[in-house]
Amino acid sequence: MAADAPSARTAPAPRPGILDIASYVPGTSVLPGTGPIVKLSSNETPLGPSPKAVEAYIDEAARLARYPDGSARPLREALAAEHGLDPARIVCGAGSDELLNLLAVAYLGPGDEAIYTEHGFLVYKIAILAHGATPIVAPETNRTADVDAILALVTARTRMLFLANPNNPTGTYLPAAEIERLHASLPGHVVLVLDGAYAEYVRRDDYEASAALVAANDNVVMTRTFSKIYGLASLRIGWAYCPDAIADTLNRIRGPFNVTGPSIAAGVAAVGDHAHMEAAVAHNERWLPEMAMRLAGIGLTATPSVANFLLVHFPDTPGRTAREADAYLHQRRIILRRVEEYGFPNALRMTIGTEPENVAVLDALSAFMGAT
Ligand SMILES: Cc1ncc(COP(=O)(O)O)c(C=O)c1O
């Protein structure tokens, strides 16, 4: 029998919900023209990776023909020793994005609801929709997650709650006591995913990345990444600390070699380089408050942040808006992050850069705000 003409065939259709997803748009990294770019749009570290991590990565070139350790054991053991955790409960992934998605694969399906907050990281919504579940958005208070508002949305259908602490793009956080209060009121069938992508930057006595909450409960997962303070974004390494049953579940569905050998080696070396980590924290501690203060000096307020970025708010005045500032900065070869899709049409998110980069942004924004 002759094959149908292509136009008469039914085209493959993705599962319901998939076409409702707006693709994640990463921070811009290119501009027309030539010359160096100041790219402060993706919360990468201005210090780069540990030289020891780069060395370990290069050394792995001799072993590229071999599959890596399937469970990333050397990396899990290094992380466990560093943070005082059980290596059997750590699951590594190709960035924390992969782990967030695997959690959705394992626990979400049609008819289920999953909650995230008003200005929460957009990957949560994508992961929820991709698995046919319904996203439920909890309002925030002062651009900060609100425990009572979240709890008010929990129903018998709720299966998961994604919370970045601190949150991107606001840089705000919830103290450990609030996270514990949230967890205490959640039904046991809800997985509480605490995304600590920026945890290493936080210097607040009342903050915890919540490993202890994971260890003491069956329904809390903490995710972490090597893409931010460790400066290894391109290697795609994330990890999750899980209750035994959730680690077992994720290990059943992840790719058998989901973290590459060079990534494992570089990650182990990065974890061991405490001096590099301390330098990154010290740089951020100096420049985060300094940038907020100097931006205020030119008439721009930033949401108080505990991470390595600032959400900078612009006036509504024509000629002074975030959209116009963005275009102006591009002319000066500076890229910050537009955050309209996070509910901030008149703000830009700026990653803390090197001193010259920070000064370049201040000079440009000062000229922008002063221009007539
Ligand atoms: C809150 C949050 N979680 C997770 C990620 C993803 O990190 P990874 O590079 O590990 O996939 C990011 C990256 O921007 C983030 O901001």
Side-chain angles (χ1 to χ4, degrees), residues 95-97 100 121 124 164 168 195 197-198 225 227-228 236-237:
S96 46
D97 283 347
L100 296 168
F121 186 45
Y124 309 148
N168 167 23
D195 176 345
Y198 302 95
T225 183
S227 302
K228 307 300 175 185
R236 313 302 305 124
I237 320 170

Side-chain angles (χ1 to χ4, degrees), residues 81-92:
E82 178 68 19
H83 297 282
L85 306 176
D86 175 358
R89 292 172 161 218
I90 296 175
V91 180
C92 295

Side-chain angles (χ1 to χ4, degrees), residues 341-363:
E341 72 270 52
Y342 284 97
F344 296 113
N346 204 19
L348 296 176
R349 191 193 65 202
M350 176 197 170
T351 309
I352 298 302
T354 61
E355 176 163 352
E357 288 172 334
N358 296 337
V359 170
V361 173
L362 286 167
D363 287 349

Side-chain angles (χ1 to χ4, degrees), residues 295-320:
L295 287 166
I298 55 177
L300 294 169
T301 49
T303 298
S305 168
V306 295
N308 68 329
F309 53 85
L310 286 167
L311 183 65
V312 185
H313 303 274
F314 286 77
D316 291 326
T317 329
R320 299 283 183 281

Side-chain angles (χ1 to χ4, degrees), residues 15 24 58 62 73 84 110 122 145 184 267 270 282 288 322 329 337 369:
R15 283 192 294 106
Y24 182 83
I58 291 169
R73 186 187 186 98
L122 280 176
L288 187 73
L329 292 170
R337 180 72 146 95
M369 292 297 285

Side-chain angles (χ1 to χ4, degrees), residues 321-332 334 338 348:
T321 63
R323 182 183 289 267
E324 288 156 307
D326 193 47
Y328 186 89
L329 292 170
H330 284 190
Q331 281 165 14
R332 294 189 169 215
I334 296 171
R338 296 282 292 276
L348 296 176

Side-chain angles (χ1 to χ4, degrees), residues 6 36 85 113 180 222-223 235 250 256 295 300 333-334:
L85 306 176
E113 294 176 352
E180 280 159 27
M222 170 183 77
T223 60
L235 283 188
L250 296 182
L295 287 166
L300 294 169
R333 306 196 68 69
I334 296 171

